[in-house]
């Protein structure tokens, strides 16, 4: 019997990048760095990533699962990754151009940190949806500025460049508010974003100018 040749696909090593750097985060975003990065759809899968930490996340499980489900329905992929893929001051990131979110496992071992970040980054996805649809590269504020408590405005001004404060002050505030992120993402997923959240005057002008309204 003639021998049968077998094609073997080589296993490609991921690129070498400096850990805890923007280059590492970019490599993860491009999906070129995959070791220690897992796509997740529920808190149960996040717990598995940590090696079954028991009831660590039990108090936030319902709200977190609601956010994760709404993100999926909206077209956003969520990954949890080892800390080496993030600069040391980054807990997570949402990319509106790719509709993908990355969570820093090294900074989220406590339940209140995890739910705060899911609300915060999930709100950026809702801002993405507010700016026309989830399938764009823009984000828009959802609430009028006067509705945001001064504490969160001042916090954002300390932490972020002035160019991103309007979006970040909103997300920082919502990170402390139970249920609001899930509600906004469900509005996005069902196409009811502008019915449930009246666009601000500037956002409405943008939406009309770009044919969304």
């Amino acid at each position: 019997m003639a021998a049968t040749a077998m094609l073997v696909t080589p296993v490609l090593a991921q690129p070498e990048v400096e850990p805890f750097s923007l280059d590492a985060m970019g490599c993860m975003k491009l999906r070129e760095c995959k070791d220690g990065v897992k796509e997740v759809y529920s808190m149960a899968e996040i717990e598995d990533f940590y090696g079954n930490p028991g009831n660590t996340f039990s108090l936030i499980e319902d709200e977190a699962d609601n956010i994760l489900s709404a993100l999926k329905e909206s077209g956003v992929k969520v990954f949890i990754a080892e800390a080496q893929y993030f600069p040391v001051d980054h807990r997570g990131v949402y990319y509106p151009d790719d509709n993908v979110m990355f969570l820093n496992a090294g900074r989220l071992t406590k339940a209140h940190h995890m739910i705060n970040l899911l609300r915060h980054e999930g709100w950026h996805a809702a801002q993405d949806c507010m700016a026309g649809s989830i399938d764009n590269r823009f984000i828009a504020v959802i609430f009028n500025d006067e509705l945001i408590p001064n504490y969160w405005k001042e916090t954002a001004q300390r932490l972020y460049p002035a160019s991103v404060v309007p979006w970040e002050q909103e997300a920082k505030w919502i990170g402390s508010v139970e249920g609001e992120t899930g509600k906004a993402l469900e509005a996005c997923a069902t196409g009811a974003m502008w019915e449930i959240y009246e666009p601000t005057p500037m956002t409405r002008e943008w939406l009309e100018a770009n044919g969304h309204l």
Side-chain angles (χ1 to χ4, degrees):
M1 179 181 292
T4 302
M6 295 183 64
L7 295 176
V8 178
T9 303
V11 177
L12 300 178
Q14 69 178 30
E16 291 188 11
V17 292
E18 182 182 352
F20 307 103
S21 68
L22 289 174
D23 285 343
M25 194 160 67
C27 185
M28 176 178 62
K29 181 196 177 193
L30 294 173
R31 305 297 293 126
E32 293 176 356
C33 291
K34 296 183 179 181
D35 295 344
V37 183
K38 178 185 177 183
E39 187 172 6
V40 291
Y41 303 93
S42 67
M43 284 307 302
E45 291 179 303
I46 290 176
E47 289 173 354
D48 285 344
F49 187 89
Y50 283 105
N52 298 313
N55 294 323
T56 302
F57 300 117
S58 60
L59 293 176
I60 66 162
E61 191 167 15
D62 288 346
E63 184 183 0
D65 276 341
N66 181 51
I67 292 172
L68 290 166
S69 176
L71 284 165
K72 181 182 178 182
E73 292 175 9
S74 299
V76 176
K77 291 185 176 183
V78 180
F79 295 84
I80 189 165
E82 295 174 357
Q84 68 195 42
Y85 292 111
F86 301 84
V88 293
D89 58 343
H90 279 55
R91 298 182 306 154
V93 61
Y94 170 71
Y95 291 106
D97 54 342
D98 289 342
N99 306 127
V100 63
M101 180 186 303
F102 294 99
L103 311 176
N104 182 347
R107 298 284 301 274
L108 302 173
T109 56
K110 295 182 179 180
H112 68 281
H113 292 159
M114 177 66 74
I115 194 61
N116 178 278
L117 184 67
L118 284 172
R119 291 169 180 165
H120 180 116
E121 299 301 340
W123 193 255
H124 285 318
Q127 290 173 333
D128 186 2
C129 194
M130 173 59 81
S133 80
I134 202 75
D135 297 318
N136 62 29
R137 295 172 176 265
F138 305 101
I139 61 174
V141 297
I142 295 175
F143 292 118
N144 286 303
D145 185 78
E146 61 267 20
L147 295 177
I148 301 171
N150 285 332
Y151 172 80
W152 297 110
K153 292 180 181 179
E154 294 167 0
T155 298
Q157 289 166 5
R158 288 198 309 271
L159 295 176
Y160 299 100
S163 59
V164 300
V165 163
W167 300 276
E168 293 296 348
Q169 66 184 13
E170 206 174 67
K172 291 293 289 184
W173 170 39
I174 294 300
S176 69
V177 179
E178 183 176 356
E180 193 64 44
T181 296
K183 173 186 170 185
L185 289 169
E186 287 170 4
C188 176
T190 59
M193 194 73 193
W194 306 313
E195 297 173 16
I196 295 175
Y197 297 92
E198 171 66 24
T200 67
M202 289 186 66
T203 298
R204 176 170 287 279
E205 182 179 343
W206 158 265
L207 294 171
E208 291 175 347
N210 287 273
H212 298 297
L213 285 178

